[in-house]
Amino acid sequence: QVQLVESGGGLVQNGGSLRLSCAASRRTFSNYAMGWFRQAPGKEREIVAAISGSGGNHAYADSVKGRFTISRDNAKNTLYLQMNSLRPEDTAVYYCAARGTYRALETLRYDYWGQGTQVTVSS
């Protein structure tokens, strides 16, 4: 069992930046590939970025490529999402999730989820 807690969301202006964090409960955090997802009102949940357990592999959705950076600090059991050049269409609840094996942007088999953190980008 892995417990995940996101933080760092908030209200930011168009073009601004935020850094989300996801704290994991287990010391075997490095065994898990991680992903950031988001869900906007009235839309399906979508994957934003994913990273392997070691941090050596990562993938991004086209909509955030070049603006968002996923990273992890396994010594601190923490996942990050640096979000720059934010746009109103980035407004959503952002979730972190864990799965056993890194599979780039594949969305299945994420077994553990955080509660989400709201990101709102004003125009």
Side-chain angles (χ1 to χ4, degrees):
Q1 187 80 8
V2 180
Q3 293 182 329
L4 303 171
V5 179
E6 302 96 336
S7 62
L11 175 64
V12 64
Q13 290 187 335
N14 190 13
S17 297
L18 282 174
R19 188 175 82 156
L20 304 183
S21 298
C22 171
S25 62
R26 291 199 65 166
R27 286 181 287 179
T28 54
F29 177 63
S30 61
N31 289 348
Y32 294 88
M34 300 295 295
W36 283 103
F37 291 75
R38 68 185 181 187
Q39 187 166 21
K43 294 188 177 181
E44 292 187 356
R45 186 172 59 195
E46 62 175 349
I47 190 166
V48 172
I51 190 167
S52 61
S54 67
N57 294 290
H58 39 72
Y60 298 92
D62 287 344
S63 58
V64 306
K65 202 171 292 184
R67 299 187 299 122
F68 290 11
T69 302
I70 189 171
S71 63
R72 64 192 298 160
D73 185 337
N74 287 338
K76 296 182 177 179
N77 292 352
T78 304
L79 174 74
Y80 303 101
L81 185 68
Q82 178 66 44
M83 305 186 294
N84 298 329
S85 302
L86 282 162
R87 306 166 180 169
E89 54 264 40
D90 295 317
T91 295
V93 178
Y94 283 71
Y95 301 88
C96 63
R99 61 175 290 166
T101 305
Y102 175 72
R103 288 287 185 266
L105 297 181
E106 181 183 290
T107 58
L108 299 176
R109 300 188 180 180
Y110 277 89
D111 297 318
Y112 306 105
W113 293 82
Q115 82 290 347
T117 186
Q118 177 70 48
V119 172
T120 303
V121 184
S122 66
S123 55

